[in-house]
Amino acid sequence: MPIDDIETQRLRIRSFQRDDWQAVYDYTSDPAVMMYIPEGPFTPEQARAFVADNMDEQARAFAVLLKTDDMLVGHMEFHPWFGPQTYEIGWTFNRAHHGQGYATEAAMALLQHGFEALHLHRIIATCQPENVASWRVMEKLGMRREAHFRKCFRRPDDRWWDEYFYALLEEEWFTR
Ligand SMILES: CC(C)(COP(=O)(O)OP(=O)(O)OC[C@H]1O[C@@H](n2cnc3c(N)ncnc32)[C@H](O)[C@@H]1OP(=O)(O)O)[C@@H](O)C(=O)NCCC(=O)NCCS
């Protein structure tokens, strides 16, 4: 489902364009940002491929830019998940722009789009318990923690990760 020019108070969410790759590489090459992303830090080729894979109707991730100066500060994952009318949402932002509410602001706009335009039934999100910033965003969005899976995911370094699983239902969105 193409997402173009969803605007919030401070942000614009749009499809990726080919020359976004350098801005994407700036933060996806940062080991601190990619600590909880299974692929780990991107090479320039991986950043280019990520952008190229997310430029059409099959896109699973979308660029987030500051409206003031068009600076690309991160991206949102938003795509179908298992189950009918169910999407997964996720977020990755440049470290220089953390802690300003951008992930929450962009996610809130996508939840609204998901429930009110796409008529989704359920939107889910997952993260590691150690990734406090990520599950804080989920809680600020009003998502519920539904599960804490133990050692369910194997890291590239062969350690096992726990996972928190959060969700929000359509009826919860409309009665929040
Ligand atoms: C997760 C991430 C997208 C959040 O982006 P952000 O724009 O900083 O998020 P917000 O400002 O909307 O909210 C972050 C919240 O976490 C809190 N927080 C951040 N780090 C924290 C920590 N170590 N301990 C406790 N709270 C923390 C912030 O205070 C804020 O909560 P508050 O508004 O109640 O104060 C960003 O940290 C990031 O890009 N991380 C790396 C990529 C990643 O791990 N993505 C998720 C994979 S599951």
Side-chain angles (χ1 to χ4, degrees), residues 77-151:
E77 307 268 347
F78 193 62
H79 53 78
W81 198 70
F82 305 104
Q85 291 173 271
T86 303
Y87 267 44
E88 178 171 15
I89 191 167
W91 29 72
T92 304
F93 280 72
N94 189 310
R95 198 143 49 105
H97 300 278
H98 286 182
Q100 298 181 61
Y102 291 149
T104 305
E105 187 170 322
M108 197 61 91
L110 289 182
L111 292 183
Q112 180 175 19
H113 181 72
F115 289 122
E116 298 182 20
L118 304 181
H119 305 293
L120 297 179
H121 166 63
R122 184 170 153 87
I123 298 176
I124 70 103
T126 69
C127 71
Q128 278 55 64
E130 297 82 359
N131 195 351
V132 182
S134 191
W135 61 258
R136 275 294 302 143
V137 172
M138 296 172 198
E139 300 213 333
K140 287 197 289 178
L141 293 168
M143 301 181 87
R144 274 172 302 96
R145 187 183 299 168
E146 293 190 334
H148 178 171
F149 296 112
R150 307 285 178 181
K151 296 190 173 179

